[in-house]
Amino acid sequence: MRILFVAAEASPLAKAGGMGVVTGSLSKVLRAMGHDVRIFLPYYGSLPKTLKVSSCPVWDGSAMFEKFSVYETVLPETDVPLYLFQHSCFDGPHIYGLENDDWRFTFFANGAAEFCWNHWKPQIIHCHDWHTGMIPVWMHQSPDIATVFTIHNLAYQGPSRARLEQITWCPWYMEGHNTMAAALRYADRVTTVSPTYAEQIKTPAYGENLEELLASIGDKVLGIINGIDPTSYDPSVDASLPQTYSSAELDHRKINKASLQKELGLQERPQAWLVSMVTRLVEQKGIDLVLQVLDRFLAYTDSQFVLLGTGDRYYETQLWQLAARYSGRMSVQLLYDDALSRRIYAGSDVALMPSRFEPCGISQLIAMRYGCVPIVRRTGGLVDTVAHYNPRHQTGTGYCFDRYEPLDLYTCLVRAWEGYHYEDSWQALQTRAMETDVSWEQSSLAYNRLYNSVSNLPLESIPQKNQATTSAKATLE
Ligand SMILES: Nc1ncnc2c1ncn2[C@@H]1O[C@H](COP(=O)(O)OP(=O)(O)O[C@H]2O[C@H](CO)[C@@H](O)[C@H](O)[C@H]2O)[C@@H](O)[C@H]1O
């Protein structure tokens, strides 16, 4: 089937968070299944100069009274054809955060629609987040091109209808008060990235004011859990690590821990419990909860804490101030660094994700793959991917807490910190986490069924591979 992914991010070229990981890895898996998947991405000024791109555009077009060109290349380390949408508004180094993001991405989405009508016609356009929200609206009048719209983050909904009318024009039939709302109405199928979050967003607590719309289109909304590429995130071959290891060589992790402590200026104490967070610094990720308990937790235990992330200036300042008081025990790295993130997953003992809401979460999947035990709040995809540790039955893959309350996080941290001191059961927990199937194996089959259900083609038979190890779709205990 011909499928075009349209997205603002695709790993490893352009990644600001989890969406890039998904588009970059899912496209590769679906292609291996036999689909002709291609990606349509802005031609950012930050793309590596070493990327070999066609010298001439494969197509020139115009949208919103602006001309643009489309260049072709291949997503590195894959065989996925990649179309790069070139216009000066994407020449800068940043993916997001410009004043005219609403204009830039609406232009990008409209350009993608033009490209599909005029150059490469897919059977399905798989749109990711609000940046691509106008595509289902336009394709409403092209019944031979179906659309799937995936919500990675409902909190960002794009320009309002009034703003859209200011910067471009909307078709006469368009309904919806902003870009995301319009996309939800007109897409043939809407997915989000975990079954639990798919249900939660139909409620006022998680619906971001779109809960009524989402409940009313409930029969076309589906939750499919994210995966990661196990070959890209593989501690036994990861070149970013000082020492590679497998689940049978957990002792080798100590070398990574010592090296990480040295790199970050932390005291080089092998026994110190090293807690990590690799995250965007936004309200969603529960940073306020962490700030409420971390001081006390560090004061009462011998733990260490490392955070790698960028985002809200307020959180950055608060974390810096705390780090200054815990010199040698707390390190705050305010930058985006993929290699460092891998060294953190490989060298720290636990990965903290006390999210206020979490559509799926990629960080806990990578952490588990690297034997870094996740500590998560039971919300969204964290419910579906992390099973609570049960010491009596020696089951589970991480530590979980329910309520978004400082005391609940604190108690959970203390429980995990105590658990760390029982070396054998801790290693067994790490092993279970590492052997959990966090790949796309099952979810790619779900996407395949979804694509077949929206296209007119007969169901394609996809060979069922062996079901690998423990399923990430955990049962709560
Ligand atoms: N400073 C930094 N340096 C290096 N790497 C960093 C980094 N900050 C974050 N990362 C990496 O970015 C990714 C973050 O992915 P998440 O899924 O956890 O969150 P995000 O909110 O961005 O994704 C949204 O989309 C994804 C994909 O659907 C959903 O899983 C998620 O719930 C939703 O909020 C991880 O791979 C993490 O390692």
Side-chain angles (χ1 to χ4, degrees), residues 15 17-19 21-22 152-153 193 226 278-280 284-285 308-309 335-338 341 345 353 358-363 366:
K15 179 188 160 199
M19 180 173 58
V21 178
V22 171
H152 296 270
N153 207 325
V193 286
N226 280 338
V278 178
T279 183
R280 294 182 298 115
Q284 170 193 349
K285 300 297 181 181
L308 171 64
L335 70 161
Y336 191 95
D337 185 333
D338 186 62
S341 77
Y345 290 122
M353 273 184 94
E358 196 60 73
C360 176
I362 296 288
S363 296
I366 305 174

Side-chain angles (χ1 to χ4, degrees), residues 216-234:
S216 72
I217 58 163
D219 53 345
K220 71 170 183 181
V221 180
L222 185 67
I224 304 178
I225 202 86
N226 280 338
I228 54 173
D229 179 352
T231 60
S232 164
Y233 293 102
D234 182 354

Side-chain angles (χ1 to χ4, degrees), residues 149-164:
F149 183 83
T150 295
I151 303 167
H152 296 270
N153 207 325
L154 195 58
Y156 305 100
Q157 300 182 0
S160 66
R161 188 187 171 112
R163 175 73 182 134
L164 276 172

Side-chain angles (χ1 to χ4, degrees), residues 2-21:
R2 292 187 311 281
I3 302 164
L4 187 69
F5 275 31
V6 185
E9 298 178 36
S11 168
L13 286 181
K15 179 188 160 199
M19 180 173 58
V21 178

